[in-house]
Amino acid sequence: MADTPAGNTLGAAWAADWLRRSAAVVAENRMALIELDRAIGDGDHGENLDRGFTAILAKLDEETPATPGAAFKMAAMTLMSKVGGAAGPLYGTAFLRAATAVGDAPELDSALLAAALTAARDGVVARGKAETGDKTMIDAWTPAVDAAVAAAGNGETPAAVLTAAATAAEAGAVATDPLIAHKGRASYLGERAIGHRDPGAASSALILRAAAQAAESAA
Amino acid sequence: MKKLINDPKAVVDEAVEGFGKAHAAHVTVHPDPLFITRKDAPKPGKVGLISGGGSGHEPLHAGYVGYGMLDAAIPGAVFTSPTPDQIIPATAAANAGAGVVHIVKNYTGDVLNFETAAEMAQADGIEVRTVLVNDDVAVEDSLYTAGRRGVGGTVLVEKIAGAAAERGDDLDAVAAIGRRVNDNVRTMGVALSACTVPHAGVPSFELAEDEIEIGIGIHGEPGRHKIPMENADGITDRLLEPILADLKPAAGDKVLLFVNGMGGTPASELYIVYRHAAKVLEDAGLVVERSLVGNYITALEMQGCSISVLRLDDEMTALWDAPVNTPALRWGM
């Protein structure tokens, strides 16, 4: 990576900072996510994610991951073993696929970041069997991936790639409001799910924004 | 909301600890990762039968660990499925070499976690079969949903498949009879009040004093319709109607009628529901051969009930009658 200008790659410190910021934002929004889930699900999303990211913080305090891939893999295994419900396997799969996509690269450039987000999204699709418009976290992830791939293609910095992804994810989460759910527990509500934001899309937007903020602070 | 708890985050661990002490003769509690096994598991030569799911549905599932029913149960957090790192060791503990059947209620989280665990257990050389329970007729158009939920019928699947495993049926036979029970049971539930998940601290949904929710699942998640409160017979009719429309029993069919309390409804009210439900079935020409009434698959302190109707054949009836000895279900021994 000698020919890459400073600020054009993100390393293990960024990945650890992302996870710490994610833990903070999930803890801060624990009740808000519970409220969203209470409206159309069973009200455990905020609690479950908070439990998972609290466990990630404990692992980060024990050991600093050597590469972004190692950080993603640690996050994947921790989320799968602590979160339960649908969110555990879905977020766990997302981080695991991202880890596989980046391998043991010490630094991620924009193209590799976009590839990692794409792999994460594809993993969630494969596990959850949801499509765009089903009112799930995919409705945040797919616009985020599209924005990241476009930004990377335009030669934007990693921070700009992640900011574009986060902004698109936030819009995608808002766009779940008028939808009828086709997956997960909200699907049992039929039309009564209309008017409520999908909690998984909302938490995905929070976590992607944390990634962007960690990148901006690293730049 | 007042609850008999110490710390909202410690509810499951402390409850399971107490359960283990209270039923030390029947079960062993494995604290980390958390699962519960039969005292004598794995029983040589016997197919292992395990189930699990969110806590808050007691006595499901740990209450059904014991002779003639489950070999292991895996409690998740309240209303949250357990994780693969709990399910995998529970599967191994239940395996005596004859394989293990996973009984899984059809909720996205349960399905994902059990599917992952089953793949990993099979990679470790344990044969696993999965029986997916999806008896809830409240879900009208499963084409556009995650499918029908697993509700009251789960108890009947566990009892009958458990008896088949206990008598020595092989892995595929135990799974087949579990699926046969699932194919022949339909359930519909009603909530008169919401419940409060300890860590959320607020009711899971809102119901006015004069409203009831028809078609609830077992998580206090809202059902399909809110309607004005009615009397017990009227509500019973509303629950039975979709069950019979879907099960399509023929006159002369033998059935098991199961009236289940959601946790906050007294037994007297469940018997009032049973009284009318049995009459409706008999008027339709059905023979109510077996019954079960009580709190068997609950949603914390939610008021309400579910009705399950299982179309019996002679083998299912015999397996239902077979001895069972668990903390929550015991007869014949």
Side-chain angles (χ1 to χ4, degrees), chain B residues 106-175:
Chain B
N106 190 32
Y107 293 93
T108 310
D110 292 275
V111 172
L112 289 180
N113 285 283
F114 271 95
E115 202 174 79
T116 307
E119 262 177 42
M120 295 176 81
Q122 302 203 75
D124 288 343
I126 302 173
E127 279 289 303
V128 176
R129 299 285 183 276
T130 298
V131 175
L132 197 65
V133 185
N134 58 354
D135 55 317
D136 180 15
V137 293
V139 179
E140 285 171 335
D141 192 350
S142 59
L143 213 60
Y144 298 105
T145 69
R148 290 180 167 185
R149 302 172 285 208
V151 286
T154 312
V155 179
L156 312 181
V157 172
E158 290 180 4
K159 168 66 184 85
I160 291 173
E166 202 70 62
R167 78 178 174 188
D169 285 16
D170 69 21
L171 183 60
D172 286 322
V174 173

Side-chain angles (χ1 to χ4, degrees), chain B residues 47-269:
Chain B
V47 168
L49 197 63
I50 78 172
S51 192
S55 295
H57 306 303
E58 291 71 25
L60 194 80
H61 293 277
Y64 303 129
V65 172
Y67 182 88
M69 225 161 154
L70 298 179
D71 293 272
I74 312 109
V78 176
F79 289 178
T80 300
S81 72
T83 57
D85 69 325
Q86 295 172 268
I87 302 168
I88 295 161
T91 303
N95 181 40
V100 177
V101 174
H102 287 178
I103 296 177
V104 182
K105 301 188 296 307
N106 190 32
Y107 293 93
T108 310
D110 292 275
V111 172
L112 289 180
N113 285 283
F114 271 95
E115 202 174 79
T116 307
E119 262 177 42
M120 295 176 81
Q122 302 203 75
D124 288 343
I126 302 173
E127 279 289 303
V128 176
R129 299 285 183 276
T130 298
V131 175
L132 197 65
V133 185
N134 58 354
D135 55 317
D136 180 15
V137 293
V139 179
E140 285 171 335
D141 192 350
S142 59
L143 213 60
Y144 298 105
T145 69
R148 290 180 167 185
R149 302 172 285 208
V151 286
T154 312
V155 179
L156 312 181
V157 172
E158 290 180 4
K159 168 66 184 85
I160 291 173
E166 202 70 62
R167 78 178 174 188
D169 285 16
D170 69 21
L171 183 60
D172 286 322
V174 173
I177 198 140
R179 290 182 191 128
R180 198 160 98 221
V181 175
N182 181 59
D183 289 345
N184 284 283
V185 63
R186 303 288 189 280
T187 301
M188 177 95 173
V190 62
L192 312 186
S193 71
C195 60
T196 298
V197 177
H199 61 242
V202 286
S204 293
F205 57 99
E206 270 124 38
L207 266 184
E209 190 54 35
D210 57 352
E211 270 181 340
I212 61 176
E213 182 100 35
I214 290 278
I216 48 139
I218 53 166
H219 298 87
E221 78 267 43
R224 294 189 64 87
H225 305 291
K226 279 189 172 79
I227 60 167
M229 181 63 193
E230 290 181 8
N231 67 23
D233 287 1
I235 293 171
T236 303
D237 287 335
R238 280 184 190 275
L239 297 181
L240 275 178
E241 205 174 306
I243 290 173
L244 295 177
D246 202 88
L247 186 64
K248 296 186 181 71
D253 276 358
K254 296 167 180 172
V255 297
L256 184 158
L257 173 57
F258 172 25
V259 175
N260 172 61
M262 291 292 173
T265 287
S268 54
E269 295 175 24

